[in-house]
Amino acid sequence: MRHILICGGAGYIGSHMAQYLTERGDSVTVLDNLSTGHRDAIRWGELIEADLLSPESLERAFTGRRFDAVMHFAARSLVGESVSQPYDYYANNVTGTLNLLQAMRRHDVDRIVFSSTAAVFGNPQADVIDEDHPKAPINPYGASKLMAERILADAAAAYGLRSTCLRYFNAAGALPDHGIGEAHACETHLIPNVLRAALGIGSAMRVFGDDYATPDGTCVRDYVHVQDLAQAHALALCYMDDTPGAHAFNLGNGRGFSVREVIAAAGSVSGRSIPFELAERRPGDPASLVASSARAREVLGWQPQWTELAPIIESAWQWHRSPPAWSPQPPAPGMAPAAMDVLPA
Ligand code: UDP
């Protein structure tokens, strides 16, 4: 049994991580500033309210507690927003990570699993992206995560920090039976927006661009269930026991689905028609991102359980059609972006 500090454990992926670790017998503590996460999503472990941009609050969090490892999910993570608010992204994702790593070093916590992203690759030069693909991010979000990856590699060499960067492709799905799912005050992600349109919330959803160099002109993404991401984190912890250094793995199902295909699949799952309208391209979006996760499967022994798109969407549909009372009801898809700009950092 280990004691894991989950930074960002009140958020979407972090809350699923807390459930996963607790179920397998580890103990968890959540560190979160509750800026975008939810107190009610913390159903496993104690909450420490702290902010990665406040080294003092991090110092208090680590003092008097012993963590075997840290999992770091706390970040700004919206591609479009990162283009309009780059300072926030570099501050939270780079400076915040650095503050966390320094607190870990002061308190002799020598291993971390870091949430990275397919956005570190930029516009892919291959149909399927493996770990050796060139890293050339095209938006501040991807750039900020790549900077943090570099810091982790340098820390391995200088201080012996053990780290595993897990580059998620498109996290999706929910565990409605455990009372957790994607609950953003301002929703920008495709699957939640499609499902909200299916529920008749707001008017039509928008499809951002249909003139990409993809089979149907809309962007292609590789959707991976949040519970499978949690499994990979747990495996990474074990891997680092025997393997020093800085590591990175891509996590996806290896199959790409276009925006139009996601809308069609969500229509089948929900049995509802999904109104959508075509809109301009969203700044910062690459045409296609599909993972090769061969390394994670071979080295970590990762075995995703949710390999088909329909069950992933079905789990999200169950969550969105009857969300808990605490889940925010974001503005309808198609709402003016100005409504998004006032959200706290
Ligand atoms: N997308 C869309 N309409 C929406 C939300 C997303 O057309 O309401 C598109 C978006 O432009 C991208 C894909 O869906 O091509 C996946 O976007 P998402 O925000 O879910 O994830 P990202 O790939 O940005 O991490």
Side-chain angles (χ1 to χ4, degrees):
M1 171 170 161
R2 306 175 203 238
H3 184 198
I4 312 296
L5 179 66
I6 305 180
C7 295
Y12 171 43
I13 306 175
S15 58
H16 288 77
M17 192 73 240
Q19 188 277 331
Y20 192 95
L21 288 173
T22 304
E23 188 159 300
R24 75 168 202 169
D26 289 320
S27 107
V28 302
T29 294
V30 168
L31 185 151
D32 206 295
N33 67 2
L34 300 178
S35 62
T36 55
H38 307 283
R39 197 180 290 277
D40 290 302
I42 304 168
R43 311 188 60 182
W44 303 271
E46 172 203 12
L47 167 67
I48 304 171
E49 272 190 77
D51 194 321
L52 297 183
L53 293 179
S54 161
E56 299 76 23
S57 73
L58 286 176
E59 186 57 29
R60 283 196 296 277
F62 278 81
T63 301
R65 296 181 178 91
R66 177 73 216 155
F67 303 115
D68 298 304
V70 170
M71 293 187 175
H72 178 23
F73 300 89
R76 304 290 296 267
S77 64
L78 305 179
V79 166
E81 186 185 64
S82 79
V83 176
S84 60
Q85 301 174 27
Y87 287 173
D88 286 347
Y89 275 70
Y90 291 114
N92 277 278
N93 298 357
V94 182
T95 308
T97 298
L98 198 50
N99 288 341
L100 174 63
L101 294 174
Q102 288 175 318
M104 288 171 60
R105 183 152 186 259
R106 282 195 301 275
H107 292 271
D108 295 321
V109 182
D110 71 346
R111 59 202 65 191
I112 181 169
V113 186
F114 176 69
S115 297
S116 190
T117 169
V120 300
F121 296 109
N123 278 319
Q125 295 164 21
D127 291 341
V128 174
I129 303 173
D130 67 16
E131 288 78 2
D132 299 325
H133 185 284
K135 283 98 199 153
I138 60 168
N139 52 62
Y141 170 55
S144 69
K145 289 287 184 174
L146 188 58
M147 287 178 190
E149 286 198 9
R150 173 62 197 257
I151 293 170
L152 291 169
D154 291 342
Y159 311 127
L161 180 73
R162 298 181 184 212
S163 64
T164 302
C165 297
L166 297 178
R167 300 184 186 125
Y168 318 149
F169 280 59
N170 284 63
L175 291 180
D177 292 347
H178 292 285
I180 46 177
E182 202 163 0
H184 296 125
C186 173
E187 190 51 77
T188 67
H189 291 110
L190 179 64
I191 290 177
N193 278 350
V194 170
L195 296 177
R196 285 157 50 76
L199 287 165
I201 301 173
S203 50
M205 62 149 302
R206 292 178 296 168
V207 172
F208 297 130
D210 70 342
D211 57 351
Y212 287 95
T214 59
D216 67 18
T218 64
C219 286
V220 169
R221 295 288 183 272
D222 180 344
Y223 295 90
V224 53
H225 197 278
V226 62
Q227 189 180 38
D228 285 331
L229 295 180
Q231 181 206 141
H233 286 70
L235 291 167
L237 273 188
C238 299
Y239 179 65
M240 290 190 295
D241 283 344
D242 303 321
T243 325
H247 314 281
F249 299 93
N250 294 354
L251 299 180
N253 276 309
R255 282 166 64 201
F257 295 93
S258 72
V259 173
R260 284 183 187 275
E261 287 174 325
V262 169
I263 293 171
S268 300
V269 164
S270 64
R272 312 218 179 168
S273 72
I274 296 171
F276 68 90
E277 60 192 34
L278 293 174
E280 292 293 302
R281 287 184 177 199
R282 193 173 67 176
D285 274 346
S288 174
L289 290 170
V290 180
S292 162
S293 296
R295 189 184 288 179
R297 290 166 191 269
E298 284 161 22
V299 177
L300 298 179
W302 186 51
Q303 291 183 319
Q305 304 297 301
W306 301 73
T307 53
E308 298 296 323
L309 182 62
I312 294 176
I313 293 179
E314 170 70 32
S315 73
W317 172 240
Q318 296 305 333
W319 167 258
H320 284 283
R321 68 188 309 194
S322 51
W326 55 263
S327 179
Q329 293 307 306
M335 186 88 185
M340 305 175 181
D341 292 339
V342 298
L343 284 174

